[in-house]
Amino acid sequence: MNQIHIVTDSTAYIDKEFVRQHDMSVVPLYYSFEGKTEKEGFPGEFQDFFSRLARSSDFPTTSQPSVGDFKEVFESALKKGKEVIALTISSKLSGTYNSANTAANLIGSDKISIIDSQTTVANLRVLTEMAINLVKQGFSRSQIVEKIEEQKTRMGIRLTVGTLEYLKRGGRLTNAQAVIGSFLNVKPIIALIDGKLEAIAKVRGKKKAMEKIIEDIPKKVSIINICQIFALKEAHELKSILKERYPHAIINIQEIGPVIGSHLGPEALGVCYVY
C-alpha cells in the first residue's frame, strides 16, 4: 500500500480517470464568468466554456483554491496514515502555492511537503505523474521531492495564440497593440521563464510561430505534450512534424482548461517539453 498521497491542482489538466486509478487528489482553481463562479473541471469538460468565451464580451477572472480546500485534502490523507506531497502551479502565476503552504502550516504536520512546480499545464502534469511513479517505486517523500525539484529545472513551455483578443482582454496588450498586431497578423511566442509566462518573440503568422516554437525544443527532449484549445486539427498536424523531428520523444496532445486558457483564447497552440 502506498503511504504517500499525491496532490496537485486543476491546472495540471489530469484526466479524471487517471486521478481515480491512482488515488490522488486534484484541488481545483476557480473562475468567474458571466456572473457565475465555478470550479475548474477536468479535460473533456472544457468545450462549453470555450464556446461561450468565443461568443461572449465578458472576460473571466480566476482565483486560487482556498486554504480550506487544501486543508481538507491534507487532513483526509493524514487520517489514513499517509504522508502528503502537493505540487502546485507556479507561485508567479497564482497564489495556489501560498494557499497550500498556509494549509500545511495550520495543520502543523511534518508529513506534508509542498512543491512550487514553477510551471503549469502539461509540465505540471508530467511532474505529478513522475511523483506517482516514484511513490510506486518505493522512494521516500524527501527523495521524491528532491527528484521533482531537479526535474522541474529541465522543462519548457512555448505557446502562441489564434487571436490577440484574449491577451488584450486580459490586460497583456493595449488596445492599440492588439489592433496593429492583428492588422499585421503578428503572433507572439509565449514562454515560461523563471515560473512566469512572458512573450519572448513576435512573428508574422501562425505557421512561422509554430516553426519558431519547434526550433526552441531541445535536441535531447524526452517528452513533448502538445497543448491546444479548439485547435485539435493543427495539434495533430504538429504531432506528425514532431514525430519526424524527434523520433525518440514521447509525444501526446493535451487540453488547456479555463484558468490558463482564458488568457490565450480558442485556437491557442503550443508545446510543453521535458528534457
Side-chain angles (χ1 to χ4, degrees), residues 171-185:
R172 294 176 182 270
L173 291 177
T174 65
N175 188 56
Q177 286 172 326
V179 169
I180 294 169
S182 297
F183 178 75
L184 296 174
N185 195 24

Side-chain angles (χ1 to χ4, degrees), residues 143-174:
Q143 288 173 321
I144 294 170
V145 170
E146 184 180 352
K147 288 179 182 294
I148 296 296
E149 291 286 353
E150 183 184 357
Q151 182 60 62
K152 78 182 190 184
T153 65
R154 299 195 302 272
M155 310 182 100
I157 293 178
R158 297 290 187 274
L159 299 162
T160 194
V161 296
T163 169
L164 300 179
E165 174 67 19
Y166 301 94
L167 292 173
K168 182 191 81 174
R169 289 197 207 177
R172 294 176 182 270
L173 291 177
T174 65

